[in-house]
Amino acid sequence: APSGAPLVHEGQVFLPTTGGKLFQLDLDSGKIHARLTFPQKLASTPVLSDSKNHLYVAGHQAVLYVLTRRPLACETVLDVGHAPGSLQAPLVAMGRYILISENDRLNSTRLRILDTQPKEERPTPVGEARIDGQTREAAVVRGKQLFVPAGDERIAAFTVSEGDPQKVLNAVAAFQSPKPQGGRMFLATGPDDQFWMASSSL
């Protein structure tokens, strides 16, 4: 079964599976162009590097795979040390940065930032933050604003800075629904700095 939503780029579809395979398909014909097999299942949808030359996909535990896009091949395996099943929210690309949301505690999440410059094939940790609740839904990026949904209908908002590598994530605000009921959350940004959340309420 798919382990995440498909990534679509330049007429190609990249689809991860729980069986540890990543398929590259043609968007128009559905023909399989390439297939990679990994020693473990993949945690979520791959994300593109800022240059669009590399893909990053997280394994079920411990490692981040760095792939070349042309041809589709595994270039580097990075040990990022996450526990089995702790990455339930998709990776998020933010320009030069990659966001990893790791549910390493029962009631909180560790947000980790990797910098893909100057070496896309070996991104390096540059910052982290902790938020209340566990993450399962995709974070949303608008310019330099980052919105992270978490359990019990919470949202944590950050600004993303490229100036100081020690202060990549800067907390701006946190919000929780007055009467949280759990369940899925859907986020969307709108015009005039509007922000929308749909869960047990809108």
Side-chain angles (χ1 to χ4, degrees), residues 61-121:
Q61 68 178 76
V63 299
L64 179 74
Y65 299 103
V66 182
L67 316 176
T68 54
R69 197 166 66 85
R70 295 191 182 103
L72 185 64
C74 185
E75 183 174 61
T76 307
V77 180
L78 295 178
D79 184 1
V80 293
H82 58 275
S86 61
L87 302 188
Q88 298 182 37
L91 302 179
V92 176
M94 304 183 297
R96 63 186 287 177
Y97 298 126
I98 301 170
L99 171 68
I100 300 177
S101 300
E102 181 184 357
N103 296 327
D104 62 336
R105 296 182 185 174
L106 183 62
N107 295 314
S108 67
T109 296
R110 180 188 182 194
L111 303 179
R112 303 167 65 185
I113 299 293
L114 302 182
D115 189 352
T116 63
Q117 292 185 3
K119 293 184 177 181
E120 287 191 348
E121 68 275 13

